[in-house]
Amino acid sequence: MNRRIAALTLVLSLAGAGCEESASLVIAPLDDQVVRVGETLNVDVPVSNPSEATLSFSYDMPDLPASGAEIYASGTAGGRLRWTPLASQEGAWSCTVRVSGGGGSDTETFVINVQSSDSAPVFIQPGAGGTYDLSREPCVAVHVEVKDDDSLPASIRITERDPRVDGATLTANGKQADWNWCPTPAQVDAADRYTLGLAAQDESHAPVPHDYVIVLRGTGRPDCPGAPPDIVSTSPQDTLVRTALDYRVDAVVRDDVGLKDPPILYWSTEAPSDPAHPDVTAFRQVVFVSDGGDAYHAAIPNLGVPPGEERTIHYVVSATDNDDTEGAGCDHRTDSPLRSFRVAEGSGEVAGYCEACSASSQCASRVCAAGASRFCAGDCAACPAGATCGPVTTVEGGVVDACVPEGLDCRGGGSCTDDEYEDDDSRVDAAMIAADLYTGLWICSGDEDFYAVDLGAGSLDVTIDGWDPASADLDLQLLRSDGTPLRSSAGIGSSENVALCVAGGTTIVRVYGVAGDSGPYSLLVDHVPGSCCTDDAFEDNDAWGDATPLLDPGEPLDGQVCAADEDWFVFAGEAGRRASVDLLIDGAGDLDLEIYDRDGMRRLASSAGTGSSEHAEADLVASDDYYVRVFGYRGAEDSYLVSYLLIGSAGCSDSLTCAAGTVCDGSACVDDACTPGASACPAGTFCPDAGGGGGSSDCVDPCGSTSECRAGYACKTFAEGGGCAVAGAGLDGDPCASFRNCSGSRVCLDWTGGYCAVDGCVDATDCPSGSRCVDAGGPLGTCVEDCLASDDLCRLADGYGCDCAVDVEGSWQWVCLAPGVYAPACY
């Protein structure tokens, strides 16, 4: 009897405890799917879940156990399966998904048919553009990478399209390439924006173009007349944007003269260390598109935010005016304050023809074309006016029939017929012309015209006119035969004119449209023979490699600068001393002065006044040769005296007052170069591993945050601790040769080709947005690129791949890993 009472009491107790009833979970029927190799398949898995239990998902492909797919919950109403099949995974595969939660479960089976991909190359890197601070680094380095799922690396050709940037080199190796350019002072003065036109081609498809806009930042000339542009408004701000499309940013920008180029939008998912003075060289960028008048818009690629999550985008709008119609030296730049907005997953929206896109799923036509810029193509069943139907490469690498504008560029003005002088699209293909009037000439979108003039010494006067300034902006530039800019005319009216005295030889005339503008023009070339300025006896010292020695400190040398000429001098410097250089100008010519370091590349100091003298000083970090450049601003001519002295060092108490590339040894700024384990650094500093496979490094000052570092440096997390080191532009997962290539607190991991990442994380809050803190074999976690945020950027050409890994908090993450790097698996 007691046992029966006890049993009854137990039953009643359990009932009183309110045992949770098993959840009734039902997966809605799933359709069979079709996907091509290299494309990303997203299968939504709707679940009936009346009790709103927490859901857990798994999947099984019994015939393909190592598929590389991943599945995750998206709230309490379902989940999503995501898979990017490889070429080795062609075929039909049965897939069973399982959901469980609250004591209930259900399964559903469907078939995924992976078809072969007729794929063409598409660019993974670089992005739309980059900004380079020449006061930190005198050269521009751009890493290029393409993917092509059905071609071997040896069959891929990466080339530079005309017109090419003079002085640049492109080194290609299969699906990767590196482009390097050290802008000359004349190129920096001529323009602050250059376009690198790239193309990638395999054995069976037409070349796929890609444009990368390079923005140069440095020290402009002082006391320039005119007012800077005014950024009146931008949107969105401090709001949540839900959309499946790219994120639109609008801006209103006004200027008393007008803008030469559309503004630049700098954006990042990582908050800058100094919000009041953000370093935009570490941001990604896109060029605004004009909406007419003062209105502009730009599109930030959709981040693919997972369901239920939010991300923050920080952005800066930058506008440069056209107060200096002969170049960029006296243009004014305005940067907006740092602004931000949040983004979350959206659905249902589609973009129309020629609207910006980053994935084909965003387009009404289901085709996002990979052209000079990325845009939605049209449906061949209703081809838009001015477009033609044919094979189009999508941003995913597939090839489909769609309607696209001529030149794969939505910025163009429709069809255009080139003039009789084509193909004169580069300096080396320039059409030879005489002094005469040339009519019926045309500039087409994305085209430039080059002409060669060889009329002997004398006054050369070149004019272009004849276009409608309301619909086009054409500009004029004269160059030396080696590509060195001589003089420009870059107004916003209906004509441009350049006149200068030439000493003989070939002069190149360059005519080009701004931002893809096209239109007709006439060209007038006039020449009056006569003698020009007579160079001094030190010629030919027009380059640092041919510099004239300054042998005696304080002893001046007489020189003469002629139009389009520059004079270089060299002197022996001593480590720890300070060079003082003086230039005395005989007449009213606007001559300027610069000091360069021991390889003739990095500018240490400059003087660009308008008076009768110039003076510059620079600390010398090594006993070696240093260089002085004397030149006329915009072709100015005059005779001069130049001299130098070595004086005592200005000294230092810490590295905050030292120039880039140096560190304070307690009394003087010295060269920071070091070799880990082999050379000593000044007391209080250390020599970290450079990363990327080893090599020379820099002595760095210990730090706890970037606020303790000088401009252009960031507090990076090394094995020895935090150190103030040069901050590059590389983001999570970008290739690198050393930590100098990586932005913010990122270092360069010794993975294949180098890998920019924050190392030593202990939880998710230590990682920049777009990366996850996973166990990658180190003593602490590593912030690895999040494939769910940007799986198209995982470096496939280097053998990298997206895989499921466990983070330091025990959760599953889909991240980009190098070959041979095995994080604890999720499976």
Side-chain angles (χ1 to χ4, degrees):
M1 184 71 176
N2 291 338
R3 287 195 301 270
R4 297 173 70 181
I5 293 174
L8 178 60
T9 302
L10 175 62
V11 170
L12 292 174
S13 297
L14 290 174
C19 279
E20 181 181 352
E21 184 181 351
S22 295
S24 177
L25 304 180
V26 178
I27 300 177
L30 300 177
D31 296 331
D32 292 344
Q33 303 289 321
V34 176
V35 64
R36 291 188 180 274
V37 169
E39 294 182 351
T40 299
L41 174 70
N42 289 288
V43 181
D44 288 322
V45 185
V47 177
S48 173
N49 182 13
S51 64
E52 297 187 350
T54 300
L55 302 180
S56 177
F57 284 87
S58 62
Y59 77 93
D60 180 38
M61 294 188 193
D63 299 323
L64 196 64
S67 67
E70 57 95 22
I71 190 169
Y72 55 89
S74 53
T76 60
R80 176 176 288 181
L81 177 82
R82 183 181 178 93
W83 186 30
T84 304
L86 306 174
S88 60
Q89 296 171 328
E90 288 184 27
W93 311 103
S94 174
C95 179
T96 298
V97 297
R98 175 183 175 84
V99 62
S100 58
S105 66
D106 191 24
T107 62
E108 181 72 16
T109 300
F110 63 104
V111 174
I112 302 176
N113 190 343
V114 181
Q115 298 180 350
S116 63
S117 173
D118 178 19
S119 62
V122 292
F123 285 87
I124 300 174
Q125 292 181 309
T131 293
Y132 299 86
D133 187 345
L134 299 180
S135 64
R136 297 187 209 162
E137 175 56 50
C139 297
V140 176
V142 180
H143 181 71
V144 182
E145 183 174 348
V146 303
K147 72 171 184 175
D148 190 335
D149 297 313
D150 62 359
S151 297
L152 296 174
S155 65
I156 304 295
R157 290 182 63 247
I158 300 175
T159 57
E160 187 176 353
R161 308 193 326 268
D162 288 332
R164 306 185 183 192
V165 179
D166 283 303
T169 60
L170 178 71
T171 305
N173 181 19
K175 295 182 179 181
Q176 300 187 69
D178 287 287
W179 186 86
N180 291 278
W181 174 47
C182 299
T184 65
Q187 288 174 314
V188 174
D189 181 65
D192 63 356
R193 196 175 300 188
Y194 289 82
T195 299
L196 167 60
L198 296 167
Q201 185 175 17
D202 61 15
E203 68 279 2
S204 54
H205 299 95
V208 178
H210 180 77
D211 280 353
Y212 180 78
V213 177
I214 297 168
V215 179
L216 304 179
R217 287 200 173 198
T219 55
R221 289 181 65 83
D223 304 322
C224 290
D230 181 21
I231 300 174
V232 179
S233 65
T234 65
S235 63
Q237 292 184 51
D238 302 322
T239 187
L240 177 64
V241 176
R242 294 185 180 273
T243 181
L245 304 182
D246 290 349
Y247 311 117
R248 179 177 172 121
V249 175
D250 293 283
V252 174
V253 182
R254 295 175 183 153
D255 185 74
D256 54 347
V257 174
L259 304 185
K260 184 61 189 174
D261 298 297
I264 295 285
L265 174 66
Y266 295 101
W267 66 277
S268 175
T269 56
E270 181 181 352
S273 56
D274 184 358
H277 303 93
D279 179 8
V280 296
T281 63
F283 283 43
R284 302 183 189 186
Q285 71 184 50
V286 291
V287 180
F288 277 91
V289 177
S290 174
D291 292 327
D294 302 324
Y296 299 86
H297 78 273
I300 297 173
N302 194 285
L303 300 181
V305 180
E309 295 187 19
E310 294 181 5
R311 294 214 172 108
T312 299
I313 292 178
H314 308 271
Y315 73 92
V316 172
V317 176
S318 179
T320 302
D321 64 19
N322 193 41
D323 288 353
D324 187 348
T325 59
E326 294 186 4
C330 269
D331 289 337
H332 301 88
R333 182 179 65 242
T334 298
D335 292 340
S336 74
L338 182 72
R339 290 163 180 164
S340 64
F341 60 95
R342 293 168 293 124
V343 296
E345 183 190 41
S347 61
E349 310 94 337
V350 291
Y353 177 68
C354 263
E355 292 185 26
C357 58
S358 51
S360 292
S361 60
Q362 298 174 321
C363 302
S365 63
R366 312 300 290 180
V367 178
C368 181
S373 60
R374 297 183 170 190
F375 62 93
C376 288
D379 193 323
C380 282
C383 210
T388 56
C389 181
V392 173
T393 301
T394 69
V395 295
E396 294 82 13
V399 179
V400 298
D401 285 339
C403 284
V404 292
E406 183 178 355
L408 295 176
D409 192 346
C410 284
R411 298 168 296 183
S415 61
C416 176
T417 302
D418 276 320
D419 54 53
E420 61 181 296
Y421 292 98
E422 292 294 329
D423 189 13
D424 59 349
D425 297 339
S426 68
R427 177 172 51 84
V428 295
D429 296 319
M432 184 64 70
I433 60 174
D436 204 346
L437 174 64
Y438 299 86
T439 59
L441 305 177
W442 277 87
I443 283 288
C444 292
S445 178
D447 178 31
E448 296 189 0
D449 289 347
F450 290 82
Y451 305 92
V453 179
D454 190 353
L455 302 171
S459 175
L460 180 64
D461 194 302
V462 181
T463 301
I464 58 171
D465 60 18
W467 64 91
D468 180 3
S471 59
D473 183 7
L474 305 190
D475 286 341
L476 172 67
Q477 186 180 54
L478 299 190
L479 307 98
R480 286 181 182 170
S481 58
D482 64 0
T484 301
L486 297 177
R487 194 165 296 177
S488 301
S489 180
I492 55 177
S494 59
S495 67
E496 305 287 354
N497 173 260
V498 170
L500 78 163
C501 187
V502 295
T506 300
T507 300
I508 303 297
V509 178
R510 174 187 175 222
V511 183
Y512 59 101
V514 177
D517 285 356
S518 61
Y521 69 94
S522 297
L523 170 65
L524 175 63
V525 178
D526 191 17
H527 180 260
V528 178
S531 62
C532 289
C533 172
T534 301
D535 272 323
D536 54 48
F538 301 119
E539 292 296 328
D540 186 17
N541 60 344
D542 295 343
W544 73 274
D546 300 314
T548 299
L550 292 172
L551 298 176
D552 299 316
E555 184 68 27
L557 286 186
D558 289 285
Q560 172 72 52
V561 165
C562 294
D565 174 36
E566 54 188 59
D567 293 343
W568 286 79
F569 300 89
V570 59
F571 64 90
E574 298 176 12
R577 302 292 297 277
R578 186 172 182 83
S580 173
V581 181
D582 284 289
L583 180 71
L584 299 179
I585 305 164
D586 291 341
D590 186 1
L591 303 190
D592 291 334
L593 171 69
E594 295 175 338
I595 304 175
Y596 285 79
D597 68 0
R598 58 192 182 277
D599 60 6
M601 296 299 298
R602 188 190 301 269
R603 186 174 63 184
L604 303 179
S606 64
S607 179
T610 58
S612 60
S613 66
E614 303 286 352
H615 177 81
E617 295 186 6
D619 286 326
L620 310 183
V621 299
S623 296
D624 213 323
D625 287 341
Y626 291 84
Y627 297 85
V628 175
R629 175 181 176 244
V630 180
F631 62 101
Y633 182 64
R634 305 273 169 81
E637 301 176 338
D638 215 325
S639 56
Y640 62 86
L641 293 174
V642 61
S643 62
Y644 85 102
L645 288 172
L646 295 181
I647 58 179
S649 170
C652 63
S653 57
D654 56 51
S655 297
L656 293 175
T657 59
C658 291
T662 67
V663 66
C664 185
D665 71 352
S667 60
C669 297
V670 298
D671 196 327
D672 64 5
C674 65
T675 301
S679 59
C681 287
T685 67
F686 62 92
C687 184
D689 181 5
S696 65
S697 186
D698 301 336
C699 298
V700 300
D701 293 282
C703 60
S705 68
T706 297
S707 62
E708 301 173 36
C709 304
R710 64 194 125 159
Y713 283 59
C715 190
K716 295 181 180 290
T717 307
F718 299 107
E720 300 87 345
C724 287
V726 172
L731 301 176
D732 301 307
D734 284 354
C736 52
S738 77
F739 59 76
R740 305 177 193 91
N741 303 127
C742 302
S743 66
S745 57
R746 299 172 180 85
V747 295
C748 183
L749 304 181
D750 290 330
W751 293 3
T752 301
Y755 188 101
C756 288
V758 173
D759 205 12
C761 57
V762 295
D763 57 45
T765 61
D766 293 332
C767 292
S769 177
S771 63
R772 301 289 182 174
C773 185
V774 304
D775 180 358
L780 299 174
T782 301
C783 298
V784 180
E785 181 185 14
D786 182 5
C787 279
L788 291 180
S790 54
D791 62 349
D792 61 323
L793 297 181
C794 192
R795 293 157 49 193
L796 305 180
D798 279 340
Y800 283 67
C802 293
D803 204 349
C804 190
V806 178
D807 66 17
V808 293
E809 298 173 344
S811 299
W812 293 5
Q813 302 295 345
W814 193 244
V815 294
C816 180
L817 297 175
V821 176
Y822 302 103
C826 303
Y827 314 114

